[in-house]
Coordinates of all heavy atoms in Angstrom, one line a residue:
M1 N -131.6 -40.1 -3.2 CA -131.5 -38.8 -2.5 C -130.1 -38.5 -2.1 O -129.6 -37.4 -2.1 CB -132.5 -38.8 -1.3 CG -132.6 -37.5 -0.6 SD -133.3 -36.3 -1.6 CE -133.5 -35.0 -0.5
K2 N -129.4 -39.6 -1.6 CA -128.0 -39.4 -1.2 C -127.1 -38.9 -2.3 O -126.3 -38.0 -2.2 CB -127.4 -40.7 -0.7 CG -128.0 -41.1 0.7 CD -127.3 -42.4 1.1 CE -127.9 -42.9 2.4 NZ -127.3 -44.2 2.8
V3 N -127.3 -39.4 -3.5 CA -126.5 -39.1 -4.7 C -126.8 -37.6 -5.0 O -125.8 -36.8 -5.3 CB -126.9 -39.9 -5.9 CG1 -126.2 -39.4 -7.2 CG2 -126.5 -41.4 -5.7
F4 N -128.0 -37.1 -4.9 CA -128.3 -35.7 -5.2 C -127.6 -34.8 -4.2 O -127.1 -33.8 -4.6 CB -129.8 -35.5 -5.2 CG -130.2 -34.1 -5.3 CD1 -130.1 -33.4 -6.5 CD2 -130.7 -33.3 -4.2 CE1 -130.5 -32.1 -6.7 CE2 -131.0 -32.0 -4.3 CZ -130.9 -31.4 -5.6
V5 N -127.7 -35.2 -2.9 CA -127.1 -34.3 -1.9 C -125.5 -34.3 -2.1 O -124.9 -33.2 -2.0 CB -127.4 -34.9 -0.5 CG1 -126.6 -34.2 0.6 CG2 -128.9 -34.7 -0.2
V6 N -124.9 -35.4 -2.4 CA -123.5 -35.5 -2.7 C -123.1 -34.6 -3.9 O -122.2 -33.9 -3.9 CB -123.0 -36.9 -2.9 CG1 -121.6 -37.0 -3.4 CG2 -123.1 -37.7 -1.5
M7 N -123.9 -34.7 -5.0 CA -123.7 -33.9 -6.2 C -123.8 -32.4 -5.9 O -123.0 -31.6 -6.3 CB -124.6 -34.3 -7.3 CG -124.2 -35.7 -7.9 SD -125.3 -36.3 -9.2 CE -124.9 -35.0 -10.4
L8 N -124.9 -32.1 -5.1 CA -125.1 -30.7 -4.7 C -124.0 -30.1 -3.9 O -123.5 -29.0 -4.1 CB -126.4 -30.5 -4.0 CG -126.8 -29.1 -3.6 CD1 -127.0 -28.3 -4.9 CD2 -128.1 -29.1 -2.8
A9 N -123.5 -30.9 -2.9 CA -122.4 -30.5 -2.1 C -121.1 -30.3 -2.9 O -120.3 -29.4 -2.7 CB -122.2 -31.5 -0.9
G10 N -120.9 -31.2 -3.8 CA -119.7 -31.1 -4.7 C -119.8 -29.9 -5.6 O -118.7 -29.2 -5.7
F11 N -120.9 -29.6 -6.1 CA -121.1 -28.4 -6.9 C -120.8 -27.1 -6.1 O -120.1 -26.2 -6.5 CB -122.5 -28.3 -7.5 CG -122.8 -27.1 -8.3 CD1 -122.2 -26.9 -9.6 CD2 -123.6 -26.1 -7.8 CE1 -122.4 -25.8 -10.3 CE2 -123.8 -25.0 -8.5 CZ -123.2 -24.8 -9.8
V12 N -121.4 -27.1 -4.9 CA -121.2 -25.9 -4.1 C -119.7 -25.7 -3.7 O -119.2 -24.6 -3.7 CB -122.1 -26.0 -2.8 CG1 -121.7 -24.9 -1.8 CG2 -123.6 -25.9 -3.2
T13 N -119.1 -26.8 -3.4 CA -117.6 -26.8 -3.1 C -116.8 -26.3 -4.2 O -115.9 -25.5 -4.1 CB -117.2 -28.2 -2.6 OG1 -117.9 -28.6 -1.5 CG2 -115.7 -28.2 -2.3
L14 N -117.1 -26.8 -5.4 CA -116.4 -26.4 -6.6 C -116.6 -24.9 -6.9 O -115.6 -24.2 -7.2 CB -116.9 -27.2 -7.8 CG -116.2 -27.0 -9.2 CD1 -114.7 -27.4 -9.0 CD2 -116.8 -27.8 -10.3
V15 N -117.8 -24.4 -6.8 CA -118.0 -22.9 -6.9 C -117.2 -22.1 -5.9 O -116.6 -21.1 -6.2 CB -119.5 -22.6 -6.9 CG1 -119.8 -21.1 -6.7 CG2 -120.3 -23.2 -8.1
G16 N -117.2 -22.6 -4.7 CA -116.4 -22.0 -3.6 C -115.0 -21.9 -3.9 O -114.3 -20.9 -3.7
V17 N -114.4 -23.0 -4.5 CA -113.0 -23.0 -4.8 C -112.7 -22.0 -5.9 O -111.7 -21.3 -5.9 CB -112.6 -24.4 -5.3 CG1 -111.2 -24.4 -5.9 CG2 -112.6 -25.4 -4.1
F18 N -113.6 -21.9 -7.0 CA -113.4 -20.9 -8.0 C -113.4 -19.5 -7.5 O -112.6 -18.7 -7.9 CB -114.4 -21.1 -9.1 CG -114.1 -22.2 -10.1 CD1 -115.0 -23.2 -10.3 CD2 -112.9 -22.1 -10.8 CE1 -114.7 -24.2 -11.2 CE2 -112.6 -23.1 -11.8 CZ -113.5 -24.2 -11.9
V19 N -114.4 -19.2 -6.6 CA -114.5 -17.9 -6.0 C -113.2 -17.5 -5.2 O -112.7 -16.4 -5.3 CB -115.8 -17.7 -5.2 CG1 -115.7 -16.5 -4.3 CG2 -117.0 -17.8 -6.0
A20 N -112.7 -18.5 -4.5 CA -111.5 -18.2 -3.7 C -110.3 -18.0 -4.6 O -109.5 -17.1 -4.3 CB -111.3 -19.4 -2.7
V21 N -110.2 -18.8 -5.6 CA -109.0 -18.6 -6.5 C -109.1 -17.2 -7.2 O -108.1 -16.5 -7.3 CB -109.0 -19.7 -7.6 CG1 -108.0 -19.4 -8.7 CG2 -108.6 -21.0 -6.9
F22 N -110.2 -16.9 -7.7 CA -110.3 -15.6 -8.4 C -110.1 -14.4 -7.4 O -109.5 -13.4 -7.8 CB -111.7 -15.4 -9.1 CG -111.8 -16.2 -10.3 CD1 -113.0 -16.9 -10.7 CD2 -110.7 -16.4 -11.2 CE1 -113.1 -17.6 -11.8 CE2 -110.8 -17.1 -12.4 CZ -112.0 -17.7 -12.7
A23 N -110.6 -14.5 -6.2 CA -110.4 -13.5 -5.2 C -108.9 -13.3 -4.9 O -108.4 -12.2 -4.8 CB -111.2 -13.8 -3.9
F24 N -108.2 -14.4 -4.7 CA -106.8 -14.4 -4.4 C -106.0 -13.8 -5.6 O -105.1 -12.9 -5.4 CB -106.2 -15.8 -4.1 CG -104.7 -15.8 -3.9 CD1 -104.2 -15.3 -2.7 CD2 -103.9 -16.2 -4.8 CE1 -102.8 -15.3 -2.5 CE2 -102.5 -16.2 -4.6 CZ -102.0 -15.8 -3.4
Q25 N -106.3 -14.2 -6.8 CA -105.6 -13.6 -8.0 C -105.9 -12.1 -8.1 O -105.0 -11.4 -8.4 CB -106.1 -14.3 -9.2 CG -105.6 -15.7 -9.4 CD -106.1 -16.4 -10.6 OE1 -107.0 -15.9 -11.3 NE2 -105.5 -17.5 -11.0
G26 N -107.1 -11.7 -7.9 CA -107.4 -10.3 -7.9 C -106.7 -9.5 -6.9 O -106.2 -8.4 -7.2
R27 N -106.5 -10.0 -5.7 CA -105.8 -9.3 -4.7 C -104.3 -9.2 -5.0 O -103.7 -8.1 -4.9 CB -106.0 -10.0 -3.3 CG -105.3 -9.2 -2.2 CD -105.4 -9.9 -0.9 NE -104.7 -11.2 -1.0 CZ -104.9 -12.1 -0.1 NH1 -105.7 -12.0 0.9 NH2 -104.2 -13.3 -0.3
E28 N -103.8 -10.3 -5.5 CA -102.3 -10.3 -5.9 C -102.1 -9.3 -7.0 O -101.1 -8.5 -7.0 CB -101.9 -11.7 -6.3 CG -100.5 -11.8 -6.6 CD -100.1 -13.2 -7.0 OE1 -101.0 -14.0 -7.5 OE2 -98.9 -13.6 -6.9
V29 N -102.9 -9.2 -8.0 CA -102.8 -8.3 -9.1 C -103.0 -6.8 -8.7 O -102.3 -5.9 -9.1 CB -103.8 -8.6 -10.3 CG1 -103.8 -7.6 -11.3 CG2 -103.4 -10.0 -10.9
R30 N -104.0 -6.6 -7.8 CA -104.2 -5.3 -7.3 C -103.0 -4.8 -6.5 O -102.6 -3.6 -6.6 CB -105.5 -5.3 -6.4 CG -105.9 -3.9 -6.0 CD -107.3 -3.9 -5.3 NE -107.4 -4.9 -4.3 CZ -108.2 -6.0 -4.4 NH1 -108.8 -6.3 -5.5 NH2 -108.3 -6.9 -3.4
V31 N -102.4 -5.6 -5.7 CA -101.2 -5.2 -4.9 C -100.0 -4.9 -5.9 O -99.3 -3.9 -5.7 CB -100.8 -6.4 -3.9 CG1 -99.4 -6.1 -3.4 CG2 -101.8 -6.5 -2.8
Y32 N -99.9 -5.7 -6.9 CA -98.9 -5.4 -7.9 C -99.1 -4.0 -8.6 O -98.2 -3.2 -8.7 CB -98.8 -6.5 -9.0 CG -97.9 -6.2 -10.2 CD1 -96.5 -6.1 -10.0 CD2 -98.5 -5.9 -11.4 CE1 -95.7 -5.8 -11.1 CE2 -97.6 -5.6 -12.5 CZ -96.3 -5.5 -12.3 OH -95.5 -5.2 -13.4
G33 N -100.4 -3.8 -9.0 CA -100.7 -2.5 -9.6 C -100.5 -1.3 -8.7 O -100.0 -0.3 -9.1
Q34 N -100.8 -1.5 -7.4 CA -100.5 -0.4 -6.5 C -99.0 -0.1 -6.3 O -98.6 1.0 -6.1 CB -101.2 -0.8 -5.1 CG -102.7 -0.7 -5.2 CD -103.3 -1.3 -3.9 OE1 -102.7 -1.9 -3.1 NE2 -104.6 -1.0 -3.8
A35 N -98.2 -1.2 -6.3 CA -96.8 -1.0 -6.2 C -96.2 -0.3 -7.5 O -95.4 0.6 -7.3 CB -96.1 -2.4 -6.1
V36 N -96.8 -0.6 -8.6 CA -96.4 0.1 -9.8 C -96.8 1.6 -9.8 O -96.0 2.5 -10.1 CB -97.0 -0.5 -11.1 CG1 -96.7 0.3 -12.3 CG2 -96.4 -1.9 -11.3
L37 N -98.0 1.9 -9.3 CA -98.5 3.3 -9.2 C -97.6 4.0 -8.2 O -97.3 5.2 -8.4 CB -99.9 3.3 -8.7 CG -101.0 3.4 -9.7 CD1 -102.4 3.4 -9.1 CD2 -100.8 4.5 -10.6
A38 N -97.2 3.4 -7.1 CA -96.3 4.0 -6.1 C -95.0 4.4 -6.7 O -94.3 5.3 -6.3 CB -96.1 3.1 -4.9
A39 N -94.5 3.6 -7.7 CA -93.2 3.8 -8.3 C -93.2 4.9 -9.4 O -92.2 5.4 -9.8 CB -92.7 2.6 -9.0
V40 N -94.4 5.3 -9.8 CA -94.6 6.4 -10.9 C -94.3 7.7 -10.2 O -95.0 8.1 -9.3 CB -96.0 6.4 -11.5 CG1 -96.2 7.6 -12.4 CG2 -96.2 5.1 -12.2
R41 N -93.3 8.4 -10.7 CA -93.0 9.7 -10.2 C -93.7 10.8 -11.0 O -94.3 11.7 -10.5 CB -91.5 10.0 -10.2 CG -90.7 9.0 -9.4 CD -91.0 9.3 -7.9 NE -90.3 8.3 -7.1 CZ -90.9 7.5 -6.2 NH1 -92.2 7.7 -6.0 NH2 -90.2 6.6 -5.5
V42 N -93.6 10.7 -12.3 CA -94.2 11.7 -13.3 C -95.0 10.8 -14.3 O -94.5 9.9 -14.9 CB -93.1 12.5 -14.0 CG1 -93.8 13.4 -15.0 CG2 -92.3 13.3 -13.1
P43 N -96.3 11.2 -14.4 CA -97.1 10.4 -15.4 C -96.5 10.5 -16.8 O -96.1 11.5 -17.2 CB -98.5 11.1 -15.3 CG -98.5 11.7 -14.0 CD -97.1 12.1 -13.7
P44 N -96.4 9.3 -17.5 CA -95.7 9.3 -18.8 C -96.6 10.0 -19.8 O -97.8 9.9 -19.8 CB -95.5 7.8 -19.0 CG -96.6 7.2 -18.3 CD -96.8 8.0 -17.0
A45 N -95.9 10.5 -20.9 CA -96.6 11.1 -22.0 C -97.2 10.1 -22.9 O -98.3 10.3 -23.5 CB -95.7 12.0 -22.8
V46 N -96.6 8.9 -23.0 CA -97.0 7.8 -23.8 C -97.1 6.6 -22.9 O -96.4 6.5 -21.9 CB -96.1 7.5 -25.1 CG1 -96.1 8.7 -26.0 CG2 -94.7 7.2 -24.6
P47 N -97.9 5.6 -23.2 CA -98.0 4.4 -22.4 C -96.6 3.7 -22.3 O -95.9 3.6 -23.3 CB -99.0 3.5 -23.1 CG -99.9 4.5 -23.9 CD -99.0 5.6 -24.3
V48 N -96.3 3.3 -21.1 CA -95.0 2.6 -20.8 C -95.3 1.3 -20.1 O -96.2 1.2 -19.3 CB -94.2 3.5 -19.9 CG1 -92.9 2.9 -19.5 CG2 -93.9 4.9 -20.5
A49 N -94.5 0.3 -20.4 CA -94.6 -1.0 -19.8 C -94.3 -0.9 -18.3 O -93.4 -0.1 -17.9 CB -93.6 -2.0 -20.4
C50 N -95.1 -1.6 -17.5 CA -94.9 -1.5 -16.0 C -93.5 -2.0 -15.6 O -93.0 -1.5 -14.6 CB -95.9 -2.4 -15.3 SG -97.6 -1.8 -15.5
S51 N -92.9 -2.9 -16.3 CA -91.6 -3.4 -16.0 C -90.5 -2.3 -16.1 O -89.5 -2.4 -15.4 CB -91.2 -4.6 -16.8 OG -91.2 -4.2 -18.2
R52 N -90.8 -1.3 -16.9 CA -89.8 -0.1 -17.0 C -90.0 0.8 -15.8 O -89.1 1.5 -15.4 CB -90.0 0.6 -18.3 CG -89.5 -0.3 -19.5 CD -89.5 0.4 -20.8 NE -88.5 1.5 -20.7 CZ -88.5 2.6 -21.5 NH1 -89.5 2.7 -22.4 NH2 -87.6 3.5 -21.4
V53 N -91.2 0.9 -15.3 CA -91.5 1.9 -14.2 C -91.1 1.3 -12.9 O -90.5 2.0 -12.1 CB -93.0 2.2 -14.2 CG1 -93.4 3.1 -13.0 CG2 -93.4 2.9 -15.5
A54 N -91.4 0.0 -12.7 CA -91.0 -0.7 -11.4 C -90.3 -1.9 -11.7 O -90.8 -3.0 -11.6 CB -92.3 -0.9 -10.6
P55 N -89.0 -1.8 -12.1 CA -88.3 -3.0 -12.5 C -88.0 -4.1 -11.4 O -87.9 -5.3 -11.7 CB -86.9 -2.5 -13.0 CG -86.8 -1.2 -12.4 CD -88.2 -0.6 -12.1
G56 N -88.0 -3.7 -10.1 CA -87.8 -4.6 -9.1 C -89.0 -5.4 -8.5 O -88.9 -6.2 -7.7
V57 N -90.2 -5.0 -9.0 CA -91.4 -5.6 -8.5 C -91.7 -6.9 -9.2 O -91.7 -6.9 -10.5 CB -92.5 -4.6 -8.6 CG1 -93.8 -5.2 -8.0 CG2 -92.2 -3.3 -7.8
R58 N -92.0 -8.0 -8.5 CA -92.3 -9.2 -9.1 C -93.7 -9.2 -9.8 O -94.7 -8.8 -9.2 CB -92.3 -10.4 -8.1 CG -92.5 -11.7 -8.7 CD -92.6 -12.8 -7.6 NE -93.9 -12.8 -6.9 CZ -95.0 -13.2 -7.4 NH1 -95.0 -13.8 -8.6 NH2 -96.1 -13.2 -6.7
V59 N -93.8 -9.6 -11.0 CA -95.0 -9.6 -11.8 C -95.8 -10.9 -11.5 O -95.2 -12.0 -11.7 CB -94.8 -9.5 -13.3 CG1 -96.1 -9.5 -14.1 CG2 -93.9 -8.2 -13.6
P60 N -97.1 -10.8 -11.1 CA -97.8 -12.1 -10.9 C -97.9 -12.9 -12.2 O -98.0 -12.3 -13.3 CB -99.2 -11.6 -10.5 CG -99.0 -10.2 -9.9 CD -97.8 -9.6 -10.7
A61 N -98.0 -14.2 -12.1 CA -98.0 -15.1 -13.2 C -99.2 -14.9 -14.2 O -99.1 -15.0 -15.4 CB -98.0 -16.5 -12.8
Q62 N -100.3 -14.4 -13.7 CA -101.5 -14.3 -14.5 C -101.6 -13.0 -15.3 O -102.5 -12.8 -16.1 CB -102.8 -14.5 -13.7 CG -103.0 -13.5 -12.6 CD -102.4 -14.0 -11.3 OE1 -101.5 -14.8 -11.2 NE2 -102.8 -13.3 -10.2
V63 N -100.6 -12.1 -15.1 CA -100.6 -10.8 -15.8 C -100.0 -11.0 -17.2 O -98.9 -11.4 -17.3 CB -99.8 -9.7 -15.0 CG1 -99.7 -8.5 -15.8 CG2 -100.5 -9.4 -13.7
A64 N -100.9 -10.8 -18.2 CA -100.4 -10.9 -19.6 C -99.8 -9.6 -20.1 O -98.8 -9.7 -20.8 CB -101.6 -11.3 -20.5
E65 N -100.3 -8.5 -19.7 CA -99.8 -7.2 -20.1 C -100.1 -6.1 -19.1 O -101.1 -6.2 -18.4 CB -100.5 -6.8 -21.4 CG -100.0 -5.5 -22.0 CD -100.8 -5.1 -23.3 OE1 -101.7 -5.8 -23.7 OE2 -100.5 -4.1 -23.8
C66 N -99.2 -5.2 -18.9 CA -99.3 -4.1 -17.9 C -98.7 -2.9 -18.6 O -97.6 -2.9 -19.0 CB -98.6 -4.5 -16.6 SG -98.8 -3.2 -15.4
R67 N -99.5 -1.8 -18.5 CA -99.1 -0.5 -19.1 C -99.4 0.6 -18.1 O -100.5 0.6 -17.4 CB -99.8 -0.2 -20.4 CG -99.5 -1.1 -21.5 CD -98.4 -0.6 -22.3 NE -98.1 -1.5 -23.4 CZ -96.8 -1.7 -23.7 NH1 -95.8 -1.2 -23.2 NH2 -96.6 -2.6 -24.7
V68 N -98.5 1.6 -18.0 CA -98.8 2.8 -17.3 C -99.1 3.9 -18.3 O -98.3 4.1 -19.2 CB -97.6 3.2 -16.4 CG1 -97.8 4.5 -15.7 CG2 -97.2 2.1 -15.4
R69 N -100.2 4.6 -18.1 CA -100.5 5.7 -19.0 C -101.1 6.8 -18.2 O -101.3 6.8 -17.0 CB -101.5 5.1 -20.0 CG -102.9 4.7 -19.4 CD -103.8 4.2 -20.4 NE -105.1 4.0 -19.8 CZ -106.0 3.1 -20.1 NH1 -105.7 2.3 -21.1 NH2 -107.1 3.0 -19.5
T70 N -101.3 7.9 -19.0 CA -101.8 9.1 -18.3 C -103.2 9.4 -18.9 O -103.4 9.3 -20.1 CB -100.9 10.3 -18.7 OG1 -99.6 10.0 -18.2 CG2 -101.4 11.6 -18.0
S71 N -104.1 9.7 -18.0 CA -105.5 10.1 -18.4 C -105.9 11.2 -17.5 O -106.0 11.1 -16.3 CB -106.4 8.9 -18.2 OG -107.7 9.3 -18.5
G72 N -106.2 12.4 -18.1 CA -106.6 13.6 -17.4 C -105.5 14.1 -16.4 O -105.9 14.6 -15.3
G73 N -104.3 13.9 -16.7 CA -103.2 14.3 -15.9 C -102.8 13.4 -14.7 O -101.9 13.7 -13.9
R74 N -103.5 12.3 -14.6 CA -103.3 11.3 -13.6 C -102.7 10.0 -14.1 O -103.1 9.6 -15.2 CB -104.6 11.0 -12.8 CG -105.2 12.2 -12.2 CD -106.4 11.9 -11.4 NE -107.0 10.6 -11.6 CZ -108.2 10.3 -11.1 NH1 -108.9 11.1 -10.3 NH2 -108.7 9.1 -11.3
A75 N -101.9 9.4 -13.4 CA -101.3 8.1 -13.8 C -102.3 7.0 -13.6 O -103.1 6.9 -12.7 CB -100.1 7.8 -13.0
E76 N -102.4 6.0 -14.6 CA -103.2 4.9 -14.5 C -102.4 3.6 -14.9 O -101.5 3.7 -15.7 CB -104.4 4.9 -15.6 CG -105.4 6.0 -15.3 CD -106.5 6.0 -16.4 OE1 -106.3 5.4 -17.4 OE2 -107.5 6.6 -16.1
V77 N -102.7 2.5 -14.2 CA -102.1 1.2 -14.5 C -103.2 0.4 -15.1 O -104.2 0.1 -14.4 CB -101.5 0.6 -13.3 CG1 -101.0 -0.8 -13.6 CG2 -100.4 1.5 -12.7
D78 N -103.0 -0.1 -16.3 CA -103.9 -0.9 -17.0 C -103.3 -2.3 -17.1 O -102.3 -2.6 -17.7 CB -104.1 -0.4 -18.5 CG -105.2 -1.2 -19.2 OD1 -106.0 -1.9 -18.6 OD2 -105.2 -1.1 -20.4
L79 N -103.9 -3.3 -16.3 CA -103.5 -4.6 -16.2 C -104.4 -5.6 -17.0 O -105.6 -5.6 -16.8 CB -103.4 -5.1 -14.7 CG -102.5 -4.3 -13.9 CD1 -103.0 -4.3 -12.4 CD2 -101.1 -5.0 -13.9
R80 N -103.9 -6.3 -17.9 CA -104.6 -7.3 -18.7 C -104.2 -8.7 -18.2 O -103.0 -9.0 -18.1 CB -104.3 -7.2 -20.2 CG -104.6 -5.9 -20.7 CD -106.0 -5.6 -20.8 NE -106.2 -4.1 -21.2 CZ -107.2 -3.7 -21.8 NH1 -108.2 -4.5 -22.0 NH2 -107.3 -2.4 -22.1
L81 N -105.1 -9.5 -17.8 CA -104.8 -10.9 -17.3 C -105.1 -11.9 -18.3 O -105.9 -11.7 -19.2 CB -105.7 -11.1 -16.0 CG -105.2 -10.5 -14.7 CD1 -105.1 -9.0 -14.8 CD2 -106.0 -11.0 -13.6
D82 N -104.5 -13.1 -18.1 CA -104.8 -14.3 -18.9 C -106.3 -14.5 -18.7 O -106.9 -14.4 -17.6 CB -104.0 -15.5 -18.4 CG -102.5 -15.3 -18.7 OD1 -102.2 -14.5 -19.6 OD2 -101.7 -15.9 -18.0
G83 N -107.0 -14.9 -19.7 CA -108.4 -15.2 -19.6 C -109.3 -14.0 -19.9 O -110.5 -14.1 -19.8
G84 N -108.7 -12.9 -20.3 CA -109.5 -11.7 -20.7 C -109.9 -10.8 -19.7 O -110.6 -9.8 -20.0
R85 N -109.6 -11.0 -18.4 CA -110.0 -10.1 -17.4 C -109.0 -8.9 -17.4 O -107.9 -9.0 -17.9 CB -110.0 -10.7 -16.0 CG -111.0 -11.8 -15.8 CD -111.1 -12.4 -14.5 NE -109.9 -12.9 -14.0 CZ -109.5 -12.9 -12.7 NH1 -110.3 -12.4 -11.8 NH2 -108.3 -13.3 -12.3
S86 N -109.4 -7.8 -16.8 CA -108.6 -6.6 -16.8 C -108.8 -5.8 -15.5 O -110.0 -5.8 -15.0 CB -108.7 -5.7 -18.0 OG -110.0 -5.2 -18.0
F87 N -107.8 -5.0 -15.1 CA -107.9 -4.2 -13.9 C -107.4 -2.8 -14.3 O -106.5 -2.7 -15.1 CB -107.1 -4.7 -12.7 CG -107.7 -5.9 -12.0 CD1 -107.3 -7.1 -12.4 CD2 -108.6 -5.7 -11.0 CE1 -107.8 -8.2 -11.8 CE2 -109.1 -6.8 -10.4 CZ -108.7 -8.1 -10.7
L88 N -108.0 -1.7 -13.8 CA -107.5 -0.4 -14.1 C -107.4 0.3 -12.7 O -108.4 0.5 -12.0 CB -108.5 0.4 -15.0 CG -108.1 1.8 -15.3 CD1 -106.8 1.8 -16.2 CD2 -109.2 2.5 -16.1
L89 N -106.2 0.7 -12.4 CA -105.9 1.4 -11.1 C -105.6 2.8 -11.4 O -104.7 3.1 -12.3 CB -104.8 0.7 -10.4 CG -105.2 -0.7 -9.9 CD1 -104.0 -1.6 -9.8 CD2 -105.8 -0.6 -8.5
R90 N -106.1 3.8 -10.7 CA -105.8 5.2 -10.9 C -105.3 5.8 -9.6 O -105.6 5.4 -8.5 CB -107.1 5.9 -11.2 CG -107.7 5.6 -12.5 CD -108.9 6.4 -12.8 NE -109.4 6.0 -14.1 CZ -110.6 5.5 -14.3 NH1 -111.4 5.3 -13.3 NH2 -111.0 5.2 -15.6
R91 N -104.4 6.8 -9.8 CA -103.9 7.5 -8.6 C -104.6 8.8 -8.5 O -105.0 9.5 -9.4 CB -102.4 7.7 -8.8 CG -101.9 8.4 -7.6 CD -100.4 8.5 -7.4 NE -99.7 8.4 -8.7 CZ -98.4 8.6 -8.7 NH1 -97.7 8.8 -7.7 NH2 -97.7 8.5 -9.9

């Protein structure tokens, strides 16, 4: 019984660590996307790399690709992360 309880506690702890890491990464990426959106003055006609729109903003390590594009006259930031996750921020 003790082994089962220890294994169950270890599993629950491991899941909690994963949830905390993903939440922190998501927040960091969202803050970066919001900083890029704030730097957009005129929505671009063609997709542009975020580093060209906001050159002074530090890119989080997990961001694989970032593009600023226009959809319906509004600027959007499309963030692709390592591992296949993505975020889309609109203004």
Side-chain angles (χ1 to χ4, degrees):
M1 185 66 173
K2 288 181 184 179
V3 172
F4 175 73
V5 170
V6 169
M7 288 178 66
L8 182 62
F11 177 75
V12 169
T13 302
L14 187 63
V15 168
V17 167
F18 278 122
V19 168
V21 166
F22 287 140
F24 177 75
Q25 287 178 346
R27 184 182 64 195
E28 186 179 22
V29 170
R30 188 172 47 254
V31 167
Y32 171 69
Q34 289 170 346
V36 171
L37 268 179
V40 173
R41 299 290 176 234
V42 177
V46 296
V48 177
C50 293
S51 60
R52 293 189 61 203
V53 174
V57 180
R58 188 186 69 79
V59 181
Q62 62 270 18
V63 174
E65 182 183 0
C66 180
R67 296 269 180 218
V68 177
R69 64 183 188 207
T70 303
S71 177
R74 299 182 346 185
E76 294 182 340
V77 175
D78 185 15
L79 295 151
R80 306 289 171 155
L81 280 60
D82 294 334
R85 294 187 305 150
S86 65
F87 287 93
L88 181 65
L89 294 149
R90 295 182 177 117
R91 182 168 27 174

